[in-house]
Amino acid sequence: AREAGLVPSVEATGYLPHRETTAELLAGDLLWLPTITRRDGGPVSNVPAKTYEYLGSGRPVVSLAGPGDVRDALGGRTRCRVVAPGTGSAGALGEVIAAALAGGLPPTDPDPEDARAFRRSETARGVAEALRAAASSDSARITVPAQLDPSTLGGEDADRATP
């Protein structure tokens, strides 16, 4: 931000409680999502929880992400930009911020369709539906493989365990 002359347009808040963080991200013009990058360039399967909050917010997102699940989750979304880590990433990030300030990113709908699946209400609804389906089915018994059946393992925990 400093190198690109964007310091007046960037706010670093430091740690905030979750409720305040959520309010800040919903008010943000552009959300920054740095991620872990492997030194060997391999894909990263670690997805920070805030990735889902950012996607659920419907706000534009820019991420510093190499190959892996974060890049895959953001890819193809018109409101998301991914900057590859390495030489030139600071300049590329500056360009995305400058484009956002100049109105160069696509406008976002206040309730974009691609954000709904990441909302807690939708996630909870999906879990509830799966549990209802499992509980209402006569064939919804959980089968425990014999090698994992606690009654066959012996020891003091076997008497308390329920397959």
Side-chain angles (χ1 to χ4, degrees), residues 58-77:
R59 306 303 305 138
V61 178
V62 61
S63 180
L64 178 68
D69 291 345
V70 170
R71 181 178 281 270
D72 294 346
L74 299 179
R77 298 174 192 279

Side-chain angles (χ1 to χ4, degrees), residues 11 14 16 23 35-36 45 52 67 75 91 93 99 107 115 121 135 141-142:
E11 179 183 3
L16 295 173
T35 63
I36 296 170
S45 61
Y52 302 105
L93 174 60
S121 60
R141 298 213 174 268
I142 297 173

Side-chain angles (χ1 to χ4, degrees), residues 149-159:
D149 186 339
S151 66
T152 64
L153 297 177
E156 60 185 65
D157 289 337
D159 295 331

Side-chain angles (χ1 to χ4, degrees), residues 13 16 25 104 113 142 144 152:
T13 62
L16 295 173
L25 78 91
E113 184 66 36
I142 297 173
V144 179
T152 64

Side-chain angles (χ1 to χ4, degrees), residues 56-136:
S57 75
R59 306 303 305 138
V61 178
V62 61
S63 180
L64 178 68
D69 291 345
V70 170
R71 181 178 281 270
D72 294 346
L74 299 179
R77 298 174 192 279
T78 58
R79 64 189 172 93
C80 300
R81 298 289 185 270
V82 178
V83 174
T87 307
S89 60
L93 174 60
E95 290 173 17
V96 172
I97 294 171
L101 291 171
L105 294 183
T108 57
D109 181 330
D111 187 23
E113 184 66 36
D114 76 342
R116 293 187 184 129
F118 297 101
R119 299 228 169 95
R120 288 182 183 186
S121 60
E122 290 301 313
T123 303
R125 184 184 340 277
V127 170
E129 287 173 8
L131 290 173
R132 275 191 210 102
S136 67

